[in-house]
Amino acid sequence: MVKFIAEVSSNHNGDLSRCLKFIEAAKDCGCDGVKFQLFKIDELFAPEILAKSEEHRKRKKWELPVEFLPEISRKCKELDIEFICTPFYLDAVDELKPYVDAYKIASYELLWHDLFRKCAKTSKPVIISTGMATLNEVKSAITAIKIIGRRMLDSWQNKEISDDIIRTW
């Protein structure tokens, strides 16, 4: 099965009405889902980087306010479009749990097994991106998910590789 997911990322500019318009546009285009990112600049970058780099501090305005999650979820349900989000800190998994249909893990996070475990324990689908990962990193991520009993695994970009890996187990 192929699904089309619209990537909103941080293009909402901290504006809830803009978030909702992106969801409507994704639905109008025939997308099956819409994906956001939940991160906190203070947790994404080391304090030393933030102290020295105004450019990095300015990214604070890219954050998706947690307060937007209920309304984003409501809109997605209303339009029958999946709400997917990438958690970039562990507490984000819990913050997202009541609202999202699935979690998406970035390819450069594939070795962060605590994040995989926390997402998998929610029993929601976990979508992994493999674009920047090595085959061993993908295998490691799949193992981390399977260890705690996940049965659902989707690969964001490279379905053939993940299917081959799953068949070898």
Side-chain angles (χ1 to χ4, degrees), residues 2-18:
V2 174
K3 290 188 176 188
F4 292 93
I5 311 297
E7 173 70 55
V8 175
S9 185
S10 298
N11 294 306
H12 51 76
N13 295 332
D15 180 345
L16 179 58
S17 65
R18 188 171 166 96

Side-chain angles (χ1 to χ4, degrees), residues 78-162:
E78 174 189 312
L79 297 179
D80 193 30
I81 188 169
E82 292 181 44
F83 177 20
I84 301 162
C85 196
T86 299
F88 281 97
Y89 55 99
L90 285 177
D91 288 341
V93 176
D94 295 326
E95 292 168 350
L96 290 166
K97 184 178 178 185
Y99 306 109
V100 297
D101 297 298
Y103 298 96
K104 188 263 185 182
I105 309 296
S107 61
Y108 59 86
E109 303 282 16
L110 290 189
L111 298 178
W112 190 12
H113 290 185
D114 288 343
L115 180 63
F116 271 93
R117 286 184 197 99
K118 191 152 189 173
C119 289
K121 285 180 182 178
T122 68
S123 297
K124 292 183 181 271
V126 176
I127 302 167
I128 63 170
S129 176
T130 60
M132 293 176 42
T134 67
L135 185 57
N136 283 338
E137 289 169 341
V138 175
K139 287 179 181 180
S140 175
I142 291 169
T143 299
I145 291 172
K146 285 189 170 197
I147 284 174
I148 60 171
R150 288 293 299 147
R151 290 192 169 94
M152 299 177 76
L153 175 70
D154 291 314
S155 174
W156 186 253
Q157 293 178 355
N158 211 333
K159 186 74 171 134
E160 307 82 56
I161 288 178
S162 63

Side-chain angles (χ1 to χ4, degrees), residues 16 20 25 30 40 48 54-55 61 76 83 87 109 131 134 141 149 152:
L16 179 58
L20 303 179
K40 293 181 180 174
E48 300 82 12
E54 183 180 349
E55 181 180 328
K61 65 183 176 188
C76 287
F83 177 20
E109 303 282 16
T134 67
M152 299 177 76

Side-chain angles (χ1 to χ4, degrees), residues 20 36 45 74 131:
L20 303 179
F36 290 82
F45 298 107
R74 186 200 63 73

Side-chain angles (χ1 to χ4, degrees), residues 64-81:
L64 177 68
V66 174
E67 299 79 34
F68 288 9
L69 297 176
E71 189 62 24
I72 290 171
S73 178
R74 186 200 63 73
K75 185 61 142 179
C76 287
K77 285 177 179 40
E78 174 189 312
L79 297 179
D80 193 30
I81 188 169

